[in-house]
Amino acid sequence: MTADPARRNERSRRAILTAALDLLGETGYADLTIEAIAARAGVGKQTIYRWWRKKGAIILEALVDAMAAAEAVALPDTGDLAADLRTVMRATVAEFADPKLSATTRAITIETLGDESLGVQVRDQLLRPQLDAVKDRLRAGRDAGQVRDGVDLDQAVELLFGPLYHRWLLRTGPLTDDYADGIVELAVAAIRPDRK
Amino acid sequence: MTADPARRNERSRRAILTAALDLLGETGYADLTIEAIAARAGVGKQTIYRWWRKKGAIILEALVDAMAAAEAVALPDTGDLAADLRTVMRATVAEFADPKLSATTRAITIETLGDESLGVQVRDQLLRPQLDAVKDRLRAGRDAGQVRDGVDLDQAVELLFGPLYHRWLLRTGPLTDDYADGIVELAVAAIRPDRK
Amino acid sequence: MTADPARRNERSRRAILTAALDLLGETGYADLTIEAIAARAGVGKQTIYRWWRKKGAIILEALVDAMAAAEAVALPDTGDLAADLRTVMRATVAEFADPKLSATTRAITIETLGDESLGVQVRDQLLRPQLDAVKDRLRAGRDAGQVRDGVDLDQAVELLFGPLYHRWLLRTGPLTDDYADGIVELAVAAIRPDRK
Amino acid sequence: MTADPARRNERSRRAILTAALDLLGETGYADLTIEAIAARAGVGKQTIYRWWRKKGAIILEALVDAMAAAEAVALPDTGDLAADLRTVMRATVAEFADPKLSATTRAITIETLGDESLGVQVRDQLLRPQLDAVKDRLRAGRDAGQVRDGVDLDQAVELLFGPLYHRWLLRTGPLTDDYADGIVELAVAAIRPDRK
DNA sequence: GAATAAACGAGACGGTACGTCGTGTCTTCAT
DNA sequence: ATGAAGACACGACGTACCGTCTCGTTTATTC
């Protein structure tokens, strides 16, 4: 009844993921229809429906694949917490600035908003590794006495990325390195140990 | 050629906005088709297309109307900055927790992501007043010596709301009053004057 | 309640009839919408609906007007029945051959097919005078001993025009003067007195 | 790009043709919309548009199908030319008198008037066989010395059917068996050999 | 190495909604 | 107070995709 993954055609799978990302970059989310993906990938529609239940699942898998191809996520630890956070925050700003990457993020966000279970997958497979990497760096900072003991590290992570997403999502202002630096400075001030 | 606003039928306009919000609350964003809105409002489709170019524009106008009906946005100023911020942040959390209000926010966010110009309108007409109210309260706090002089107030505002949106959007954790309080505590720590 | 013919604006009436015939000639029956006529005539749609119930009624009135403008219909009577019939039949062929006149006839025929009461009006106001003119000529021919006594003159008239309409309507062959002459010859043979 | 006839669903095709004829008979040509046909046939609109470019083409195909189902068209040849012609002419009168058949003819005629190429198809696929059958009978009559040598048989055929169509189309008088007989008598008189 | 069963490309299918057009009625505004 | 201008509710248009469903045609085991 169900499809047998062992017999799956890897060539078709790759063609579909590539086509999906390409269309997303070229013509935007509006033209990202299953039919368009199938046509672009030179694949029957059924082959898509056989392996993915939702359009968003294709994008998710494409992104997970792309992430797996990249090396493991890890923050630098130069000893200077603020500097290391600036690095990762500036990288995130750059990502939002790249039209192609931004289009992908926009698409997956839309899908996420409309589909609870997809949202969970995106969170666990795409986001969590990135956020955990920052959390790890903060933990190291706490061990080094640069972070107050009582601070909830999850909240601290969101204190960093929240404003960035907010500004990107709601266009409340320019997304620049300066902005990233400013947020880092505020966040570091928020979590540093009390002065005597 | 273009429609003449002076001859617009106000009754139809209200019926459409009401129908749109009702459907959004009842059946979710998926069933929010122009046809459904027209049918529910007892209105011809053309009457919708005559006055709104996008589906999102209807929701925006409905929300703006609703906001205008509500009293002016203003934060309390009890003198205790942290307490006042907790009030507004908890209110926002409550808003995200309300399924009906959340559905509206979700819908308008999706539309915003897919349409630049709509995003700008949402920002200016819906968001800005709310953010500015918080900004005003922060400014008052600065005048009262509770906020460090160099702090960029826009960044400070986003330090508050960013994490909330982040958690709602990406489901990175539970959205509770405790969370709101935690973020307020961190943000207040971030912006308070240096101890001597 | 009902419109008062006395207050009718003759200028508008003429503009509408002219516009209708013009559009029919220019763009064909497909573009002959009430809206197009109103726009072309520089007239409100209501002004049309006030005075005509159906689109076909406009065309009918336009044609009746045009016919009234032309001199009274009457066949020549040269004494040579066949020759006189050839004249009128060739004229009819010419009418069908003229693209503009043919378009009008086509349009009124379509309307006629879909509307019984309009069909009756067309018959009585447009067709009957023409057919009666031929009938009169045949009666004169009978008086002159060129037509057999028992012949039903209405049938004889249709023996002449029927084939012409048939060929025009169903495109069963070329509509030429020769064809007209051939039909006349046959018809005359059909109705002439028996040889001794 | 174009549809592949080999993969066509015959069940759907029949359902569409049946629905079209049924609606035509029940509610008349005015209600014969593509949407109504699709709904009645339990078929998607696209399935209709995929295989037929015009509404009239559906009716044509339905009629051609129906005709193919009937036995081959052929006139009786009893030796009595006038009698045989009366038979076929009375049958045609009966067809025009039947409200259901008449509705079909009316519909296809309207479409024919508005679409040249459809008209040609109607002529060749529906009409020609019928007219040719009569022409064949006339030819047999000529061989039997009942028809004058110089007579154009196509003209003779139209001398018979032309008046019938004329009377039906333009409602110039009642369409009865007597009328049919009268026309046959005139036509036979028109084409018979000259008396010595 | 042939048999066979699944996945595949292609695309027809029943549907839903799209955005547009024309209908006939009703309302507004300028003359 | 009439008539142009046009907004309105309605319904059909023809199109785009949806997700399901055959069709042959590769593939790729399994016997």
Side-chain angles (χ1 to χ4, degrees):
Chain A
M1 189 94 262
T2 324
D4 174 3
R7 311 194 63 139
R8 186 168 187 180
N9 185 332
E10 178 65 13
R11 180 195 303 280
S12 294
R13 183 179 155 272
R14 304 301 302 257
I16 290 163
L17 298 183
T18 304
L21 285 190
D22 284 358
L23 283 170
L24 209 47
E26 285 169 31
T27 51
Y29 185 70
D31 285 8
L32 191 70
T33 63
I34 299 282
E35 298 223 314
I37 295 174
R40 170 71 69 101
V43 137
K45 281 199 292 175
Q46 193 57 40
T47 302
I48 297 184
Y49 285 110
R50 181 151 36 229
W51 302 109
W52 292 277
R53 310 212 103 230
K54 301 258 182 184
K55 192 170 57 179
I58 305 174
I59 310 174
L60 173 59
E61 186 166 327
L63 293 181
V64 169
D65 254 40
M67 230 183 58
E71 66 237 61
V73 186
L75 253 63
D77 187 344
T78 63
D80 181 345
L81 180 59
D84 292 350
L85 292 176
R86 271 195 296 272
T87 302
V88 68
M89 291 286 276
R90 285 178 172 216
T92 304
V93 162
E95 208 170 294
F96 283 140
D98 179 329
K100 198 150 184 173
L101 286 177
S102 198
T104 320
T105 309
R106 210 186 322 277
I108 199 77
T109 304
I110 291 177
E111 296 285 350
T112 272
L113 277 165
D115 181 350
E116 172 86 32
S117 73
L118 180 68
V120 171
Q121 288 183 280
V122 167
R123 180 192 65 195
D124 292 340
Q125 295 175 48
L126 283 183
L127 239 51
R128 192 71 84 193
Q130 307 231 23
L131 300 179
D132 279 352
V134 176
K135 194 175 171 186
D136 288 344
R137 181 63 189 84
L138 288 173
R139 191 178 292 113
R142 186 171 60 189
D143 295 344
Q146 297 160 327
V147 175
R148 201 168 61 243
D149 260 10
V151 168
D152 181 321
L153 293 186
D154 286 319
Q155 289 181 9
V157 169
E158 281 170 322
L159 207 63
L160 288 158
F161 287 106
L164 246 52
Y165 270 85
H166 192 267
R167 192 159 270 211
W168 170 72
L169 192 67
L170 305 174
R171 299 168 227 254
T172 41
L175 254 183
T176 60
D177 283 353
D178 279 353
Y179 180 69
D181 293 353
I183 294 297
V184 168
E185 195 187 329
L186 283 170
V188 166
I191 62 176
R192 80 176 151 223
D194 294 327
R195 307 287 168 77
K196 281 185 279 258
Chain B
M1 192 91 260
T2 322
D4 174 1
R7 311 192 47 174
R8 186 167 188 179
N9 185 333
E10 179 64 14
R11 181 192 305 276
S12 295
R13 183 180 155 271
R14 304 302 299 257
I16 290 163
L17 298 183
T18 303
L21 285 190
D22 284 357
L23 285 170
L24 207 48
E26 286 170 30
T27 52
Y29 187 69
D31 286 8
L32 191 70
T33 64
I34 298 281
E35 295 217 316
I37 296 173
R40 171 70 70 101
V43 139
K45 281 199 289 176
Q46 198 61 256
T47 301
I48 297 184
Y49 286 109
R50 183 157 28 236
W51 302 110
W52 292 278
R53 310 212 104 230
K54 302 257 181 185
K55 192 170 54 179
I58 305 174
I59 309 173
L60 171 59
E61 187 165 328
L63 293 181
V64 169
D65 255 40
M67 230 183 57
E71 67 239 60
V73 187
L75 254 62
D77 188 343
T78 64
D80 182 345
L81 179 60
D84 292 349
L85 292 177
R86 272 195 296 271
T87 303
V88 68
M89 292 286 277
R90 285 178 173 217
T92 306
V93 162
E95 208 169 295
F96 283 140
D98 179 331
K100 197 151 183 171
L101 287 177
S102 197
T104 320
T105 310
R106 210 187 323 277
I108 198 78
T109 305
I110 290 178
E111 295 288 349
T112 273
L113 279 164
D115 182 349
E116 171 85 32
S117 74
L118 180 68
V120 170
Q121 289 182 280
V122 168
R123 181 193 64 196
D124 292 339
Q125 295 175 48
L126 282 183
L127 240 49
R128 193 70 86 193
Q130 308 233 20
L131 300 179
D132 279 352
V134 176
K135 193 174 172 186
D136 287 344
R137 181 63 188 85
L138 288 173
R139 191 177 291 114
R142 187 171 59 189
D143 294 344
Q146 297 159 327
V147 175
R148 201 167 61 245
D149 259 10
V151 167
D152 180 321
L153 293 186
D154 286 318
Q155 291 180 8
V157 170
E158 282 170 321
L159 207 63
L160 288 158
F161 287 105
L164 247 52
Y165 270 85
H166 191 266
R167 192 160 269 210
W168 170 72
L169 193 65
L170 305 173
R171 299 167 227 253
T172 43
L175 253 184
T176 60
D177 283 353
D178 279 353
Y179 181 69
D181 293 352
I183 294 297
V184 168
E185 194 187 330
L186 284 171
V188 167
I191 61 176
R192 79 172 152 226
D194 295 327
R195 307 287 168 78
K196 278 182 282 246
Chain C
M1 189 95 259
T2 322
D4 173 3
R7 313 195 69 133
R8 187 166 186 181
N9 184 333
E10 178 65 13
R11 179 195 303 279
S12 294
R13 183 179 155 272
R14 304 303 300 256
I16 289 163
L17 298 183
T18 303
L21 285 190
D22 283 358
L23 283 171
L24 208 47
E26 286 169 32
T27 52
Y29 186 69
D31 285 9
L32 191 70
T33 63
I34 299 281
E35 298 220 316
I37 296 174
R40 170 70 71 103
V43 139
K45 282 200 291 174
Q46 194 56 39
T47 303
I48 297 183
Y49 285 110
R50 186 157 25 235
W51 301 110
W52 292 276
R53 310 211 104 228
K54 302 259 182 184
K55 193 168 56 179
I58 305 174
I59 309 174
L60 172 59
E61 185 165 329
L63 293 181
V64 170
D65 255 40
M67 231 183 57
E71 66 237 60
V73 187
L75 253 62
D77 186 345
T78 63
D80 181 346
L81 179 60
D84 292 350
L85 292 176
R86 272 197 295 272
T87 302
V88 68
M89 292 285 276
R90 284 179 172 216
T92 305
V93 162
E95 207 169 295
F96 283 141
D98 179 329
K100 198 148 182 171
L101 286 177
S102 197
T104 320
T105 309
R106 211 185 322 276
I108 199 76
T109 304
I110 290 178
E111 296 287 348
T112 272
L113 278 164
D115 181 351
E116 171 85 32
S117 73
L118 180 68
V120 171
Q121 289 184 280
V122 168
R123 181 193 65 196
D124 291 340
Q125 295 175 48
L126 281 184
L127 239 50
R128 193 69 83 194
Q130 307 233 23
L131 300 178
D132 279 352
V134 175
K135 194 174 171 186
D136 287 345
R137 181 62 189 85
L138 287 172
R139 190 177 294 114
R142 186 172 60 191
D143 295 344
Q146 298 161 327
V147 175
R148 200 167 61 243
D149 259 9
V151 168
D152 179 322
L153 292 187
D154 287 316
Q155 291 180 8
V157 169
E158 283 170 322
L159 207 64
L160 287 159
F161 286 106
L164 245 53
Y165 271 84
H166 192 267
R167 191 159 271 211
W168 170 71
L169 192 66
L170 305 174
R171 299 168 228 256
T172 41
L175 254 185
T176 61
D177 283 353
D178 279 352
Y179 181 70
D181 292 354
I183 293 297
V184 168
E185 194 185 332
L186 283 170
V188 166
I191 61 177
R192 79 173 152 224
D194 295 326
R195 308 283 169 80
K196 277 184 281 249
Chain D
M1 193 89 261
T2 323
D4 174 2
R7 310 191 46 178
R8 187 167 187 179
N9 185 332
E10 178 65 14
R11 181 192 304 279
S12 295
R13 183 180 154 271
R14 304 302 299 256
I16 290 163
L17 297 183
T18 303
L21 285 190
D22 283 358
L23 284 170
L24 206 48
E26 286 169 30
T27 52
Y29 187 69
D31 285 9
L32 190 70
T33 64
I34 298 282
E35 296 218 316
I37 296 174
R40 170 71 69 102
V43 139
K45 280 199 289 176
Q46 199 59 253
T47 301
I48 297 184
Y49 286 111
R50 185 156 28 235
W51 302 111
W52 293 277
R53 311 212 103 231
K54 302 258 184 184
K55 195 169 54 179
I58 304 174
I59 308 173
L60 171 59
E61 187 166 327
L63 294 181
V64 169
D65 254 40
M67 229 183 59
E71 67 239 58
V73 186
L75 252 63
D77 186 344
T78 64
D80 182 344
L81 179 60
D84 292 349
L85 292 176
R86 271 195 296 272
T87 303
V88 67
M89 291 286 276
R90 284 178 172 217
T92 304
V93 162
E95 207 169 295
F96 283 140
D98 179 329
K100 196 150 184 169
L101 287 177
S102 198
T104 320
T105 309
R106 208 187 324 278
I108 199 76
T109 304
I110 291 178
E111 295 286 349
T112 273
L113 278 165
D115 181 349
E116 171 85 33
S117 74
L118 181 68
V120 171
Q121 288 183 280
V122 168
R123 179 193 64 195
D124 292 339
Q125 295 175 47
L126 282 183
L127 240 50
R128 192 71 83 192
Q130 307 233 23
L131 300 179
D132 279 351
V134 176
K135 193 174 170 186
D136 287 345
R137 181 62 189 85
L138 288 174
R139 191 177 291 112
R142 185 173 59 191
D143 294 344
Q146 298 161 327
V147 175
R148 200 168 61 246
D149 260 8
V151 168
D152 179 321
L153 293 186
D154 286 318
Q155 291 181 7
V157 169
E158 283 170 321
L159 205 64
L160 288 159
F161 287 105
L164 246 53
Y165 271 85
H166 191 267
R167 193 159 269 212
W168 169 72
L169 193 67
L170 305 174
R171 301 167 226 256
T172 42
L175 254 184
T176 60
D177 282 353
D178 279 353
Y179 181 68
D181 294 352
I183 294 296
V184 168
E185 194 186 330
L186 284 171
V188 166
I191 62 176
R192 79 173 152 225
D194 293 327
R195 307 285 166 80
K196 281 183 283 249

